[in-house]
């Protein structure tokens, strides 16, 4: 089990198949929200509190999980401060989805809720991924359109060894929108360019905190 602190209110937990077997849990049991999955979630929260000081007492939490590959399940746990609890469900919420990563797409467009989310994403990429951005994708741009930030990945190297790792990382901060070239051209024509190229490296260089 690997626990990573993404922001003050968000953490990521990566479970291997061995972790799941030890707890008698599989992906199907998470979908059915079994008692075993609930026990494992409590164990995760206790470890997160002890290891990285992620306290959830008196906070409402949103738990999202997806199978990033056949080898692991990735959790994102977000806690909400007391003044914001009315905007979410009164109970802890577990949403489990199997996401098909766009591994064969030459174009991929993701949306970020705000610019800070984009900066957090850039800040949390591994140094290895950052160093291999040019091998992964020829052009990475960021555009603002209708109050939403869109990251456009063009000419993606579908044989890049870091492909799954990149898509697994970005899914924690952004939403995959489309692989449509038409939507890409719409953004280029009507959107406001923030970074016309090297968006991720620029975001990390100018706004990263690490």
């Amino acid at each position: 089990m690997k626990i990573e602190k993404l922001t003050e209110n968000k953490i990521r937990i990566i479970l291997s198949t061995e972790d799941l077997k030890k707890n008698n849990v599989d992906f199907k049991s998470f979908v059915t929200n079994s008692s075993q999955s609930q026990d494992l979630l409590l164990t995760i929260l206790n470890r997160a509190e002890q290891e990285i000081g992620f306290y959830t007492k008196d906070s409402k939490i949103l738990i999202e999980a997806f199978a990033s590959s056949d080898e692991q399940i990735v959790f994102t746990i977000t806690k909400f401060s007391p003044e914001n609890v009315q905007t979410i469900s009164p109970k802890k919420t577990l949403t489990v989805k199997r996401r098909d990563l766009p591994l064969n797409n030459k174009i991929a467009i993701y949306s970020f809720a705000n610019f800070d989310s984009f900066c957090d994403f850039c800040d949390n990429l591994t140094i290895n991924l950052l160093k291999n951005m040019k091998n992964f994708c020829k052009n990475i741009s960021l555009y603002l359109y209708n109050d939403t930030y869109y990251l456009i990945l063009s000419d993606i190297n579908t044989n890049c060894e870091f492909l799954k790792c990149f898509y697994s990382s970005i899914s924690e901060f952004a939403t995959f929108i489309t692989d449509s070239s038409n939507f890409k051209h719409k953004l280029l024509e009507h959107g406001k360019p923030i970074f016309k190229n090297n968006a991720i490296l620029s975001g990390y260089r100018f706004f990263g905190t690490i």
Side-chain angles (χ1 to χ4, degrees):
M1 181 187 302
K2 182 179 180 181
I3 301 177
E4 301 175 349
K5 188 174 184 180
L6 301 178
T7 67
E8 288 300 317
N9 296 317
K10 181 182 291 188
I11 61 173
R12 174 168 58 207
I13 298 94
I14 301 175
L15 297 178
S16 66
T17 52
E18 287 300 317
D19 293 323
L20 297 176
K21 288 178 181 178
K22 289 178 182 178
N23 290 277
N24 297 317
V25 176
D26 56 20
F27 189 85
K28 183 178 179 180
S29 68
F30 278 107
V31 174
T32 57
N33 208 15
S34 68
S35 59
Q36 292 94 334
S37 69
Q38 294 297 322
D39 290 340
L40 179 55
L41 289 173
L42 290 175
T43 299
I44 290 172
L45 290 174
N46 288 333
R47 283 193 56 174
E49 182 175 307
Q50 295 171 4
E51 294 182 12
I52 60 174
F54 187 76
Y55 298 97
T56 57
K57 185 179 180 181
D58 299 325
S59 298
K60 298 299 181 180
I61 63 173
L62 174 67
I63 304 174
E64 298 175 282
F66 70 94
S68 63
S69 68
D70 293 333
E71 301 297 328
Q72 61 187 18
I73 290 181
V74 180
F75 290 91
T76 303
I77 300 179
T78 306
K79 65 178 178 179
F80 296 82
S81 57
E83 58 268 24
N84 294 326
V85 297
Q86 293 182 354
T87 63
I88 62 173
S89 169
K91 295 182 179 180
K92 293 179 181 179
T93 303
L94 171 62
T95 303
V96 185
K97 300 178 181 178
R98 180 178 290 276
R99 299 179 183 173
D100 294 325
L101 303 180
L103 300 180
N104 297 317
N105 297 350
K106 286 291 187 178
I107 297 175
I109 300 175
Y110 283 82
S111 69
F112 290 86
N114 49 56
F115 189 69
D116 286 342
S117 295
F118 168 72
C119 293
D120 287 340
F121 162 64
C122 297
D123 215 16
N124 280 277
L125 285 176
T126 64
I127 296 299
N128 207 22
L129 266 175
L130 289 167
K131 287 181 177 179
N132 286 278
M133 277 294 106
K134 292 185 178 179
N135 294 329
F136 163 66
C137 188
K138 288 186 179 179
N139 187 283
I140 304 176
S141 56
L142 184 71
Y143 276 74
L144 177 63
Y145 178 70
N146 286 344
D147 297 322
T148 300
Y149 289 87
Y150 291 94
L151 188 70
I152 306 171
L153 309 173
S154 305
D155 295 322
I156 299 170
N157 178 7
T158 57
N159 295 317
C160 180
E161 61 181 306
F162 302 102
L163 205 62
K164 285 187 177 181
C165 184
F166 176 86
Y167 285 134
S168 177
S169 297
I170 196 172
S171 65
E172 307 303 322
F173 298 89
T175 302
F176 174 67
I177 300 299
T178 182
D179 60 353
S180 168
S181 58
N182 289 334
F183 188 65
K184 170 189 170 181
H185 293 310
K186 182 177 182 179
L187 292 175
L188 296 181
E189 182 177 355
H190 301 289
K192 176 183 177 181
I194 307 301
F195 297 115
K196 288 188 175 181
N197 198 1
N198 299 321
I200 292 176
L201 291 176
S202 296
Y204 177 83
R205 184 178 300 116
F206 297 114
F207 301 101
T209 59
I210 297 178

